[in-house]
Amino acid sequence: MSSPSIVINSPAAPPVIIEVKNVTRVFWDAREKSEKSVSALENVDLSVRKGEFVSLIGPSGCGKTTLLRLIAGLDAPQSGELLVEGEPVTGTSHERGYVFQQANLFPWETVEENIAFGLKARGVYEEYRGDVAEYIAMAGLKGFERSYPHQISGGMAQRASLARALINRPKALLLDEPMGALDSFTRMDLQEKLLELWQKFSATIILVTHDIDEAVYLSDRIVIMTPRPGRISEIIDADYPRPRSRSSARFVELRNKVLEKFHLAGAEAPVEYAI
Amino acid sequence: MNKSSYWKPRSNAWQVLAALSYPAALVVNIAMRPIIEVDERPYRVFLLALAAHTAVCYLRAFHDEKLALKYNHRSQFTFAAGALLMVWDVLSSKTGSLPLPFFPGPAQIMEVLFRERSAHALNCLYSLRLFAAGFAAGAFCGVVSGILIGWSKLWDYWLFPVMKVVGVIPAIALIPIVLIVMPGTFSTAVALVAISAWFPVAFTTARGIKSIHKSYFEAARTLGAQNGYMLRKIAIPGAVPSIFTGISTATGISFSTLVVSEMVGARGGLGYYINIAMGWMNYASVYAAILLMAVSFTLVLAVINAIKNRLLAWQKGLVK
């Protein structure tokens, strides 16, 4: 297996912003007192460049969410190193925005209060209060400022959640299957929105997904992960021009390439991943 | 209240019967002579007021569709209430079928309520003052200790086991101790009411904070929130529904403690009044005080409910 983490430093390439070095994260089975453990991640290496859109894809249990949580600082590895702009990750930071699978808006706050949360929490609300209306508009939530989360649709909630993370102007945006719980129309709608925001903010995005089409459509690079133990098996460059079309030959070609990696393409039968 | 809660079928007969029930009770009261000495005027005014109210509702229902639904729904109950008053009046003051003085008639109770109105008002205020002081102190301490237990591992370690044991002791059992510790009867009663309110509020507040989903804290952390900010903006608002569950429970327990503590040493209040009236075998006064308790405690609950609805506006449409 080739080492997928090595990035060739060509002079034109933007600097590496996130580095994952030989990271291992083990979970113990809490129910059993045995020594039984599950390697959510084993010796994982990954580098992400500034402004890159990277997708982590793989079947459930492959550790993609674990890896994202480690980068966010919501969890810590047993061994290995995580660096953001050369600094080790010691905890969460507003510079690494995180969007959850469920929008996770605070139900006791209005849409507007939710979006302004980061500014208020950091004590910079007075300085940036003008941003709030702008981000509400950007998320297409004008007229819903005073609504509570349960009063808006799933797609709207997820857009609000995205705006809530973006208002902090994070250097990296970590997305944990944010579109997983949405219907396909809402999902495609949000994918467009995401691309638009990515280009506007020239943000670095790491997206966890189990939707191959989504990964192929959105990403610069697709990181393929396999479970038990969680490992990166391959990284596929999806460097075809934007705007992209879901029916273009290149899209279909890449999609098949990813499917092949999971042994899901053609006549070959799906295999069990357990080793 | 929405339309669907008025599920009783449309019935003109019940509406007419409801409108006639209080006037009928009034007519019976005037027609029959009481066998005991009683000033029936306050009771008649009371019935007249009820009759007038029902009549106005009946007439307005012809023009107001919403009121019509409501009036129709309640008509059976209104009828039953009027009929019950009439039967009670006949069985007590009019014929003496119910043993006196233990079961006085409605006319006797209304007579006492009217005659001793200033004493009643004073007793009500006395009880409400005691409740306000004790309940506010208890609920405040409950929220504070609940937050400490729910938020901090250290407080949880030291305080939670103590709370679990101390909290289940009925406050009334502590009367002998509280009497020694507190300087006066009022402060004793306040302390007892406070103790009764404290436990349910503390317990549910702590549980409320502990049961807030981890993901809210994670989201807050990734947005740049520090611990203190998360306590104020996630833990406490997230626990408000639980806090109010505790407050509702605490209200009921505090009412009992209030009445009992007034019975054992206070110099005023509805509980005190009941005790004195019982000593004089004045059962009409006992019922009058019970009635006033029902009314004033209902008002207290209504106030607490209004505060709750205001604070939990974000839940509207989310739960029930």
Side-chain angles (χ1 to χ4, degrees):
Chain A
M1 199 186 295
S2 66
S3 176
S5 68
I6 293 167
V7 178
I8 297 130
N9 256 318
S10 68
V16 169
I17 179 168
I18 294 165
E19 274 177 284
V20 179
K21 289 182 176 172
N22 202 21
V23 158
T24 297
R25 178 72 173 96
V26 179
F27 291 110
W28 279 272
D29 196 329
R31 283 164 300 176
E32 292 169 54
K33 288 195 173 148
S34 67
E35 295 289 297
K36 217 169 134 185
S37 66
V38 182
S39 291
L41 288 175
E42 200 171 277
N43 305 103
V44 167
D45 291 276
L46 178 69
S47 292
V48 177
R49 292 187 177 281
K50 199 169 183 308
E52 221 181 353
F53 197 131
V54 173
S55 290
L56 307 180
I57 192 165
S60 53
C62 71
K64 52 194 193 296
T65 294
T66 306
L67 179 55
L68 199 71
R69 289 174 60 85
L70 289 172
I71 296 169
L74 287 168
D75 193 9
Q78 267 91 11
S79 68
E81 223 184 343
L82 289 130
L83 302 173
V84 173
E85 292 190 314
E87 297 289 321
V89 172
T90 52
T92 52
S93 159
H94 70 273
E95 297 197 324
R96 273 163 283 136
Y98 200 100
V99 178
F100 297 80
Q101 179 168 14
Q102 304 298 331
N104 218 351
L105 297 173
F106 308 125
W108 47 85
E109 294 196 338
T110 62
V111 166
E112 185 174 6
E113 288 166 339
N114 263 287
I115 291 176
F117 186 91
L119 298 179
K120 288 179 181 166
R122 289 159 50 222
V124 296
Y125 180 63
E126 289 308 317
E127 218 171 313
Y128 294 101
R129 70 184 314 156
D131 283 11
V132 179
E134 187 191 323
Y135 279 72
I136 288 169
M138 201 173 66
L141 291 167
K142 242 187 183 142
F144 294 93
E145 292 91 342
R146 311 220 162 257
S147 300
Y148 284 102
H150 73 273
Q151 295 167 323
I152 60 177
S153 71
M156 288 161 84
Q158 208 49 280
R159 292 203 303 268
S161 177
L162 208 53
R164 181 174 71 168
L166 282 171
I167 205 165
N168 278 334
R169 303 182 192 229
K171 286 176 180 154
L173 193 55
L174 310 172
L175 308 173
D176 184 8
E177 294 189 41
M179 293 167 266
L182 304 175
D183 67 83
S184 55
F185 293 105
T186 314
R187 189 184 314 166
M188 284 197 268
D189 194 45
L190 196 60
Q191 285 167 355
E192 295 307 325
K193 195 89 214 171
L194 192 59
L195 283 178
E196 183 191 317
L197 294 171
W198 174 58
Q199 271 146 5
K200 184 175 168 187
F201 286 88
S202 47
T204 307
I205 294 183
I206 303 181
L207 170 73
V208 161
T209 182
H210 52 227
D211 181 341
I212 293 171
D213 286 19
E214 183 171 283
V216 173
Y217 183 67
L218 296 173
S219 333
D220 293 326
R221 280 195 297 154
I222 301 165
V223 177
I224 292 176
M225 297 182 72
T226 50
R228 279 165 287 212
R231 275 192 181 131
I232 292 175
S233 72
E234 188 154 0
I235 296 181
I236 296 175
D237 278 318
D239 52 351
Y240 62 117
R242 298 172 193 270
R244 293 167 171 179
S245 154
R246 287 183 176 86
S247 53
S248 71
R250 183 72 180 129
F251 178 90
V252 175
E253 187 191 325
L254 270 167
R255 186 173 176 276
N256 286 339
K257 197 170 166 187
V258 177
L259 282 169
E260 263 166 43
K261 300 297 169 195
F262 291 115
H263 312 281
L264 290 170
E268 207 175 334
V271 290
E272 177 57 45
Y273 289 100
I275 299 159
Chain B
M1 212 179 269
N2 56 26
K3 270 187 186 180
S4 61
S5 59
Y6 302 134
W7 52 268
K8 278 278 182 190
R10 205 73 194 242
S11 156
N12 286 324
W14 280 116
Q15 293 196 29
V16 173
L17 284 171
L20 292 178
S21 69
Y22 294 124
L26 185 61
V27 167
V28 168
N29 180 268
I30 294 169
M32 291 177 77
R33 278 188 168 283
I35 58 157
I36 48 160
E37 201 180 310
V38 55
D39 179 4
E40 293 187 304
R41 283 171 305 175
Y43 178 55
R44 285 174 188 168
V45 171
F46 172 68
L47 281 180
L48 203 60
L50 286 174
H53 174 75
T54 323
V56 168
C57 287
Y58 180 74
L59 293 174
R60 275 181 58 200
F62 285 114
H63 308 288
D64 187 338
E65 187 51 30
K66 262 172 94 177
L67 189 72
L69 282 167
K70 184 173 162 183
Y71 179 75
N72 177 69
H73 184 76
R74 292 189 179 168
S75 57
Q76 290 183 20
F77 194 90
T78 309
F79 170 77
L84 189 73
L85 280 175
M86 184 167 77
V87 171
W88 181 16
D89 190 27
V90 170
L91 290 180
S92 54
S93 318
K94 303 300 185 188
T95 62
S97 303
L98 290 169
L100 283 168
F102 307 108
F103 300 101
Q108 286 161 277
I109 295 169
M110 290 309 293
E111 182 194 13
V112 171
L113 272 174
F114 182 72
R115 199 181 56 217
E116 294 176 16
R117 56 190 179 278
S118 55
H120 287 310
L122 214 60
N123 282 321
C124 270
L125 286 176
Y126 194 94
S127 288
L128 287 175
R129 182 181 64 152
L130 173 56
F131 182 82
F135 191 77
F140 179 77
C141 293
V143 169
V144 170
S145 49
I147 288 170
L148 289 173
I149 292 168
W151 185 249
S152 142
K153 274 183 183 166
L154 197 66
W155 282 94
D156 187 36
Y157 177 85
W158 289 107
L159 201 56
F160 188 65
V162 178
M163 184 182 80
K164 264 204 308 199
V165 174
V166 175
V168 294
I169 304 168
I172 295 155
L174 302 172
I175 287 177
I177 303 157
V178 178
L179 270 173
I180 303 165
V181 178
M182 300 309 276
T185 49
F186 183 71
S187 54
T188 302
V190 168
L192 289 170
V193 173
I195 292 168
S196 338
W198 167 75
F199 174 65
V201 176
F203 194 80
T204 56
T205 303
R207 203 175 45 189
I209 289 184
K210 285 181 191 173
S211 63
I212 294 170
H213 205 280
K214 192 179 88 188
S215 63
Y216 292 133
F217 292 111
E218 290 188 338
R221 274 165 59 201
T222 60
L223 292 168
Q226 303 297 317
N227 271 338
Y229 194 80
M230 288 200 284
L231 174 64
R232 280 183 293 127
K233 294 293 177 176
I234 310 289
I236 295 175
V240 169
S242 304
I243 293 175
F244 272 100
T245 309
I247 284 181
S248 298
T249 315
T251 320
I253 300 173
S254 299
F255 285 151
S256 319
T257 310
L258 171 88
V259 173
V260 173
S261 61
E262 279 180 343
M263 281 178 164
V264 295
R267 275 165 294 175
L270 293 168
Y272 159 84
Y273 183 83
I274 286 180
N275 227 13
I276 299 293
M278 202 172 65
W280 291 98
M281 293 289 262
N282 187 351
Y283 272 79
S285 292
V286 172
Y287 288 106
I290 291 172
L291 198 68
L292 284 172
M293 260 177 213
V295 172
S296 41
F297 291 172
T298 305
L299 286 176
V300 169
L301 280 177
V303 169
I304 290 175
N305 229 7
I307 297 171
K308 172 184 161 182
N309 287 339
R310 203 180 160 76
L311 282 175
L312 289 178
W314 58 269
Q315 274 195 330
K316 217 177 204 171
L318 190 65
V319 284
K320 208 167 65 143

